[in-house]
Amino acid sequence: MFSFPICGKTNWPEGLPEVWREALPLADREMMESLGKKLAASNAVFPPQHEWFSAFESCSPSALKVLLFGQDPYHGPGQAHGLAFSVRQGVQEPPSLRNILKEKLDDVGGGGPGFGQYGVLSGWAEQGVLLLNRVLTVPPGQAGGHGGWGWEGLSEAVVQWASTQNRPLVIVLWGKWAQSLSGHFDRPDHLVLCAPHPSPLSAHRGFWGSKPFSQANTWLQEHGIEPVDWNR
């Protein structure tokens, strides 16, 4: 059984850090309660419950520099730990993550895949990169299995909040679903970087050579913000 208490003031789960509960628009309580009931009835999910909100715990609203969207967590044992595209220490990089790290290597240099931290992207998150999946849980072996359960309300609230921020932000949208969010970001101080998904099925269509890491840092530096060390 998974516990999913709802905060009365914001209607967001109490597991979501308070700074995010206070920053985001009021949640649909009925939707959140329905999500909690579905999760409570689940036998197992990835990642474990204490890591569902790791992306928010690693990057506060005030520290946010780069918002990077994924779809849902990896569905293999021991892979997901709450940060989009990231895997645990010592876990071999899935193909999409391997392609992300290859593009990083070509774009800004540094270590390649397996360069010591493997595919652990917590160093990015600690520098203001919100690695957010649209859906925060997945049943074992069933990619997309929790789609439509209600997590989308949280990720859409983040989009709504971020789109109103009158400060420099970089929005990274890979793949068709993520790119559907681009219309929300029309402020001149928001840089939106769109490219095909890094999956081996689509990376050759324009993800290779898109240079999102250097573009993000150039934008941040132009606006007086410390760039991200993508090799952390």
Side-chain angles (χ1 to χ4, degrees), residues 47-128:
Q49 183 171 359
H50 70 275
E51 293 179 323
W52 288 354
F53 301 106
S54 291
F56 297 97
E57 293 167 355
S58 301
C59 178
S60 69
S62 61
L64 180 64
K65 299 177 184 179
V66 179
L67 178 55
L68 195 161
F69 282 100
Q71 184 65 33
D72 63 350
Y74 297 121
H75 54 84
Q79 292 180 309
H81 64 117
L83 304 180
F85 293 108
S86 183
V87 292
R88 296 179 185 278
Q89 178 82 30
V91 175
Q92 184 175 7
E93 304 92 344
S96 292
L97 176 56
R98 181 165 289 271
N99 285 344
I100 291 170
L101 295 176
K102 286 181 179 178
E103 176 63 20
K104 180 204 68 71
L105 177 63
D106 291 341
D107 185 10
V108 295
F115 58 87
Q117 294 300 315
Y118 296 85
V120 184
L121 305 183
S122 56
W124 297 1
E126 292 164 0
Q127 297 177 80

Side-chain angles (χ1 to χ4, degrees), residues 14-34:
E14 291 182 3
L16 184 69
E18 183 177 359
V19 290
W20 280 106
R21 294 201 308 267
E22 296 296 332
L24 297 179
L26 187 68
D28 182 322
R29 187 177 187 89
E30 185 174 323
M31 177 180 63
M32 289 293 101
E33 289 179 342
S34 175

Side-chain angles (χ1 to χ4, degrees), residues 2 14 39 44 58 108 127 132-133 139 162 179 188 192 202:
F2 298 98
E14 291 182 3
L39 289 168
S58 301
V108 295
Q127 297 177 80
L132 182 63
N133 279 314
Q179 289 174 28
V192 180
S202 55

Side-chain angles (χ1 to χ4, degrees), residues 1 15 30 40 45 145 161 224:
M1 298 288 289
E30 185 174 323
V45 304
W161 169 81

Side-chain angles (χ1 to χ4, degrees), residues 69-72 84 132-136 150-156 177 181:
F69 282 100
Q71 184 65 33
D72 63 350
L132 182 63
N133 279 314
R134 186 187 191 196
V135 175
L136 301 191
W151 282 125
E152 293 88 349
L154 175 55
S155 53
E156 289 165 8
W177 173 80
L181 303 174

Side-chain angles (χ1 to χ4, degrees), residues 158-221:
V158 173
V159 170
Q160 183 179 343
W161 169 81
S163 68
T164 65
Q165 297 303 293
N166 188 24
R167 59 189 175 96
L169 292 176
V170 179
I171 317 298
V172 181
L173 306 175
W174 292 331
K176 291 183 179 179
W177 173 80
Q179 289 174 28
S180 70
L181 303 174
S182 62
H184 293 278
F185 300 100
D186 56 4
R187 292 179 178 269
D189 49 359
H190 292 173
L191 174 65
V192 180
L193 299 176
C194 294
H197 195 276
S199 163
L201 298 176
S202 55
H204 65 281
R205 298 173 184 161
F207 177 76
W208 298 127
S210 59
K211 299 188 179 300
F213 307 100
S214 59
Q215 288 194 70
N217 277 353
T218 297
W219 180 266
L220 294 172
Q221 288 177 300

